[in-house]
Amino acid sequence: MFAWGCGATSKGVWSGATGVVRRSVNAIGVDVGGTKIAAGVVSREGELLNEVMHPTVNVRELVLSTIAEATIAEVKRGYEVGGVCLVVPGFILARENRVLSAANLEAIEGIPLKEELGGRTGLEVTVENDANAAAWGEFRFGAGKHVEDLILVTLGTGVGGGVISHGVLLRGARGMGGELGHITVHPAGPRCGCGNRGCLEALASGTAIARRAEKVANERPESALGRLAAERAPLGEDVLDLARKGDEVSVKVLHETGIWLGIGLATFVNIFDPEVIAVGGGVSEAGDLVLDSARGELRLRSHSPSRDLVEIREATLGTKSGILGAAALARDEDEEYVLGVSATR
Ligand SMILES: [Zn+2]
């Protein structure tokens, strides 16, 4: 039984005839999304050496062949690769390397991916949740590079997240841990995509912003947001755009979003006492328009000194965090991380 996330790897070094030689083995990260499958060869230092992308076809055999024969085989050409990690949005049984459920990716659900893809590629293949991998990417190569305790919260169409505590990625008993977007922040709140009510995702995602914007626009038809809503349903990015132009109603929508986010962040601080909370995803582009009220709520609901010392900063890897984090989570046939646990720690 191996310990997940623990211990430095020795796989990068072996004794050759002329002494100790450092082997430069890379790993492949594959980001499987509902519309595209992107993969990259990543070096131990986190350099993206090669990248390919193919559209997703939500049919079992086509998903498997696109991942194995198109994406992995193509991106690997010419590189020495020690393992592959697939990241998928949804509920992932990481210890079984199986996707339990993934919206818009039903074709991949339930497949024993390690066996199916290992046989086709000749490589060790593992599977992780996309947000957990993104958190690991930020920890290894991005906003959390210099800390041991990091939380990543991604605010996009949904809300994802991952927790690194004392340098270990929190996965839980089945590998489903770290679903930060599905903690309840409002018991009677709006219905979430997961079926629950009042999840953080239902109140602080881009989708939640759009829903809130539509409601507020009806109440304030004379506002810039109200005038836009008379023509079409406002999107999250419309709200951000109008808020930047000074529309008070749009500013209020983002302020309220930040309050719900802050309630979630306070819970994370109280449980995990992180050094850094990195915030990523499209909504994070709103910056202080969301984060000011989030920080205020965090102060009200978490405790000193953790609340005073935690640093909330923007994630730095952007859309590449999934591929980079996945590669850094790829393991070899001995279950050791191909890229090592850390280059600096
Ligand atoms: Zn939920």
Side-chain angles (χ1 to χ4, degrees):
M1 191 73 181
F2 65 96
W4 287 44
C6 295
T9 176
S10 60
K11 293 301 288 182
V13 177
W14 87 92
S15 295
T18 55
V20 176
V21 179
R22 188 161 290 279
R23 193 167 57 163
S24 70
V25 176
N26 312 297
I28 293 177
V30 186
D31 192 346
V32 184
T35 56
K36 64 179 192 305
I37 295 168
V41 176
V42 179
S43 74
R44 180 172 282 258
E45 291 72 35
E47 193 185 349
L48 201 45
L49 303 172
N50 192 23
E51 258 185 295
V52 301
M53 195 187 292
H54 290 282
T56 305
V57 184
N58 196 8
V59 175
R60 179 186 159 115
E61 178 48 35
L62 291 176
V63 168
L64 290 172
S65 63
T66 304
I67 294 172
E69 281 97 42
T71 312
I72 294 175
E74 191 180 326
V75 80
K76 177 179 179 287
R77 206 163 293 141
Y79 292 93
E80 191 184 355
V81 170
V84 180
C85 180
L86 247 64
V87 296
V88 181
F91 292 107
I92 312 298
L93 299 171
R95 290 187 187 267
E96 297 176 21
N97 294 296
R98 202 158 56 81
V99 178
L100 188 64
S101 66
N104 308 318
L105 264 170
E106 295 80 5
I108 207 170
E109 291 172 1
I111 300 174
L113 292 164
K114 183 182 173 78
E115 293 76 15
E116 282 281 345
L117 294 170
R120 291 169 184 237
T121 61
L123 291 164
E124 282 294 311
V125 178
T126 51
V127 183
E128 297 278 351
N129 169 271
D130 65 335
N132 279 356
W136 191 250
E138 291 288 346
F139 171 68
R140 285 292 309 274
F141 309 122
K145 206 158 70 170
H146 302 295
V147 301
E148 290 288 323
D149 292 84
L150 170 80
I151 288 176
L152 173 71
V153 180
T154 55
L155 308 170
T157 310
V159 174
V163 178
I164 287 105
S165 185
H166 274 0
V168 176
L169 176 63
L170 185 149
R171 291 177 171 105
R174 283 154 288 274
M176 274 181 69
E179 282 291 350
L180 304 184
H182 298 288
I183 63 159
T184 301
V185 291
H186 182 0
R191 185 75 70 188
C192 180
C194 74
N196 188 18
R197 271 194 187 281
C199 291
L200 182 59
E201 174 166 306
L203 287 149
S205 61
T207 314
I209 291 175
R211 187 195 302 124
R212 188 169 298 123
E214 198 157 3
K215 181 172 176 286
V216 176
N218 285 335
E219 293 163 5
R220 299 284 303 275
E222 81 293 351
S223 66
L225 186 61
R227 292 197 298 276
L228 174 76
E231 292 168 24
R232 63 176 171 84
L235 304 170
E237 47 263 47
D238 295 322
V239 179
L240 174 55
D241 184 42
L242 292 174
R244 281 179 175 150
K245 289 175 180 159
D247 177 48
E248 275 178 40
V249 172
S250 299
V251 169
K252 198 165 154 259
V253 167
L254 295 178
H255 178 86
E256 194 188 326
T257 303
I259 288 176
W260 292 112
L261 174 64
I263 292 172
L265 297 187
T267 298
F268 305 151
V269 168
N270 287 337
I271 299 174
F272 300 111
D273 187 16
E275 292 169 87
V276 170
I277 298 177
V279 182
V283 177
S284 70
E285 287 171 27
D288 289 343
L289 286 164
V290 166
L291 293 182
D292 274 352
S293 51
R295 287 190 184 97
E297 205 62 31
L298 172 68
R299 282 196 60 77
L300 288 173
R301 295 175 186 273
S302 58
H303 304 285
S304 188
S306 303
R307 70 176 186 197
D308 307 315
L309 297 176
V310 64
E311 192 186 331
I312 299 174
R313 64 167 83 141
E314 283 185 38
T316 60
L317 301 181
T319 56
K320 305 292 184 202
S321 62
I323 288 178
L324 291 168
L329 286 168
R331 295 189 290 267
D332 62 19
E333 64 278 6
D334 298 327
E335 302 282 8
E336 303 234 31
Y337 290 117
V338 176
L339 301 187
V341 173
S342 168
T344 56
R345 281 165 290 213

